[in-house]
Amino acid sequence: MLASCRLILGRWKAADPDSSSRMLRKGWRKLWQSWRPYTGAVPQSLDSELRIPTQSEKVLHTPVMLKEVLHCLDTQPGQVVLDLTFGAGGHSKAILQSVPGVTVVAVDRDPLAFQLAQHLAQEFPGQVKPVLGRFSELDNLLPALGLGPGRVDAALLDAGCSSMQMDTAERGFSLSKDGPLDMRMDGDRYPDMPCATDVVNALDQQALASVLAAYGEERHTRKIAAAIAQARSVYPIGRTLQLASIVAGAFPASALFARRDRLQRPSHVATKTFQALRIFVNDELNELHAGLYMAQTLLRPKGRLCVLTFHSLEDRLTKRFLRGEDLAAPPRLSIRQRAKARREAVEEEREKEEESEDEEKGLEGAYWVIPQKKVMKPSEEEVQENPRARSAKLRMAVRR
């Protein structure tokens, strides 16, 4: 179905539509312009060439919770640090500058980040080892660098989407910049890998609603999925602003910016839709679990792990992994849910209280010691300077 979707897209771009078809598309554009105008421009290729941005393009990246990360890692001279999500290299560069003789293994699935890691390796000769690959591929990549179980002193995992990816319209991650609806973190490394365009045009309405609910925690999944299904039946969806307009058209005008972020700023109604598509396209949750498992395997005893997450799905998965829970099992009930269950089954109240106490005592898993039970968050000053840090959460654990 994905192949047929791409074939249809290719024919649609090359075809010379008749006048009735042009009128239909023109009417469709007017219908879905409730948020901001859709330009209608369609590039010849949905995948642009990756390159390192120039200074004139002002693609900036500010590492989140840098002081807290450096403090938690507590890197010592001569140690080996595994940066599982190199990105623009903000955290890695700070480690190299603050600790003499340290070696950083810079891992990222993004070819652009890999190029930046290579440039950092030239700046710090012999101290940076760039690695291009996903977390699930590291079993085959890291042994070539001499990294095996117990060979790493500290590990950092900065989950989610980097500022470089969000600020580059051609990557298709941002709903505020018009570009091809791509969202693949791997770029062109896997040409057959479905992109966000394939997902929104090929999945049936029910499957699309399930993706929005599971990965975006969106409440209005049926409404949004129905709007996407109706729109793509008239005109294929291939641009970011096009999709944002479609989602916005499913809501009344008064609801477009009714949602608020943690800084109480207006948040567009398509934000969770874009998040869900990005996570689904890149298989982020399974990759996050693979990255956590790789850190658990490679860290030496008393080695430190720092994990930065930016939404509840990542944070819950990280917390359950560090506690040693079975991630295939349903999440544990919340305190409110357990209280409700006790009210419904009074006879089992004592047993449930004992189980609750055991759970609280067993917060630490068989592989990890968690020195600080409470999750760390950025300071108000950092959030004001870097609003993208507002939803960040930092968890630190020590390998047993």
Side-chain angles (χ1 to χ4, degrees):
M1 182 176 291
L2 295 177
S4 62
C5 175
R6 286 181 170 170
L7 180 61
I8 293 173
L9 285 174
R11 292 178 178 175
W12 160 64
K13 294 176 192 176
D16 183 17
D18 56 19
S19 59
S20 61
S21 178
R22 286 197 297 269
M23 291 297 294
L24 187 60
R25 291 205 305 272
K26 183 177 180 181
W28 180 90
R29 291 175 187 167
K30 291 182 178 180
L31 178 65
W32 298 111
Q33 282 181 341
S34 55
W35 176 48
R36 60 184 294 182
Y38 164 53
T39 61
V42 179
Q44 293 181 354
S45 175
L46 291 178
D47 302 321
S48 60
E49 182 180 359
L50 290 174
R51 56 186 176 81
I52 297 179
T54 61
Q55 292 183 353
S56 61
E57 293 176 17
K58 298 182 180 180
V59 179
L60 304 177
H61 172 77
T62 303
V64 175
M65 300 183 69
L66 179 59
K67 294 180 180 179
E68 293 84 348
V69 168
L70 294 178
H71 174 73
C72 291
L73 288 177
D74 191 26
T75 309
Q76 302 300 317
Q79 289 188 338
V80 177
V81 178
L82 177 63
D83 188 348
L84 287 163
T85 44
F86 180 79
H91 291 103
S92 290
K93 190 170 184 178
I95 294 172
L96 291 165
Q97 292 175 339
S98 60
V99 184
V102 69
T103 299
V104 173
V105 181
V107 179
D108 208 291
R109 64 190 294 179
D110 192 331
L112 175 57
F114 178 68
Q115 294 180 34
L116 295 176
Q118 290 177 320
H119 282 267
L120 188 63
Q122 297 175 1
E123 185 177 348
F124 295 88
Q127 291 185 258
V128 180
K129 298 180 179 179
V131 178
L132 176 63
R134 306 177 184 178
F135 299 147
S136 56
E137 299 171 335
L138 295 184
D139 279 335
N140 300 322
L141 297 175
L142 294 184
L145 301 177
L147 292 180
R151 300 296 299 273
V152 173
D153 299 288
L156 170 64
L157 200 161
D158 186 354
C161 188
S162 70
S163 298
M164 296 187 309
Q165 294 165 337
M166 291 295 296
D167 292 337
T168 306
E170 291 78 11
R171 303 298 298 273
F173 289 96
S174 176
L175 59 82
S176 62
K177 303 176 186 293
D178 187 33
L181 192 59
D182 193 332
M183 296 192 186
R184 293 175 300 172
M185 291 181 176
D186 298 276
D188 292 326
R189 291 182 61 220
Y190 302 99
D192 295 332
M193 175 183 174
C195 63
T197 295
D198 298 316
V199 174
V200 297
N201 285 288
L203 288 186
D204 60 61
Q205 185 172 328
Q206 183 177 356
L208 191 57
S210 299
V211 169
L212 300 181
Y215 300 114
E217 298 180 303
E218 173 63 62
R219 293 180 298 171
H220 306 285
T221 56
R222 294 182 180 179
K223 182 185 298 185
I224 295 174
I228 292 175
Q230 180 181 358
R232 72 190 184 189
S233 66
V234 178
Y235 202 75
I237 303 172
R239 307 287 289 181
T240 53
L241 293 190
Q242 182 186 5
L243 177 61
S245 298
I246 292 169
V247 176
F251 296 85
S254 59
L256 293 186
F257 290 96
R259 297 181 179 181
R260 300 276 173 172
D261 61 20
R262 295 191 178 184
L263 296 180
Q264 295 303 308
R265 302 180 306 178
S267 178
H268 193 265
V269 293
T271 301
K272 291 185 177 181
T273 299
F274 273 65
Q275 172 187 305
L277 291 174
R278 189 201 79 215
I279 295 175
F280 180 72
V281 167
N282 296 286
D283 196 19
E284 289 184 30
L285 297 184
N286 285 325
E287 287 295 324
L288 174 58
H289 178 252
L292 292 170
Y293 181 77
M294 183 57 58
Q296 178 175 287
T297 302
L298 296 176
L299 278 173
R300 63 169 176 80
K302 297 186 179 180
R304 297 192 171 205
L305 170 66
C306 286
V307 183
L308 273 168
T309 59
F310 291 87
H311 58 74
S312 57
L313 293 175
E314 296 171 342
D315 184 60
R316 284 199 297 266
L317 189 152
T318 301
K319 179 171 60 176
R320 296 182 64 193
F321 180 87
L322 296 178
R323 289 178 175 179
E325 297 182 20
D326 181 10
L327 299 183
R332 294 187 306 169
L333 297 178
S334 65
I335 296 176
R336 182 176 299 177
Q337 290 171 328
R338 290 200 300 268
K340 181 180 179 180
R342 286 197 296 268
R343 288 195 300 267
E344 294 176 350
V346 180
E347 296 179 357
E348 300 178 359
E349 183 173 356
R350 291 184 180 179
E351 296 180 3
K352 288 186 177 293
E353 288 178 352
E354 293 176 357
E355 292 176 359
S356 178
E357 292 177 359
D358 292 339
E359 289 175 352
E360 294 300 325
K361 292 178 181 178
L363 287 177
E364 298 176 353
Y367 296 96
W368 300 99
V369 176
I370 307 176
Q372 187 170 349
K373 302 298 188 295
K374 189 174 182 180
V375 66
M376 290 172 276
K377 297 181 180 180
S379 63
E380 294 182 3
E381 293 78 8
E382 179 176 2
V383 173
Q384 293 298 326
E385 295 176 1
N386 182 21
R388 288 181 176 175
R390 63 188 180 276
S391 57
K393 292 181 180 180
L394 175 62
R395 293 186 181 273
M396 189 268 283
V398 180
R399 185 71 162 86
R400 288 187 184 275

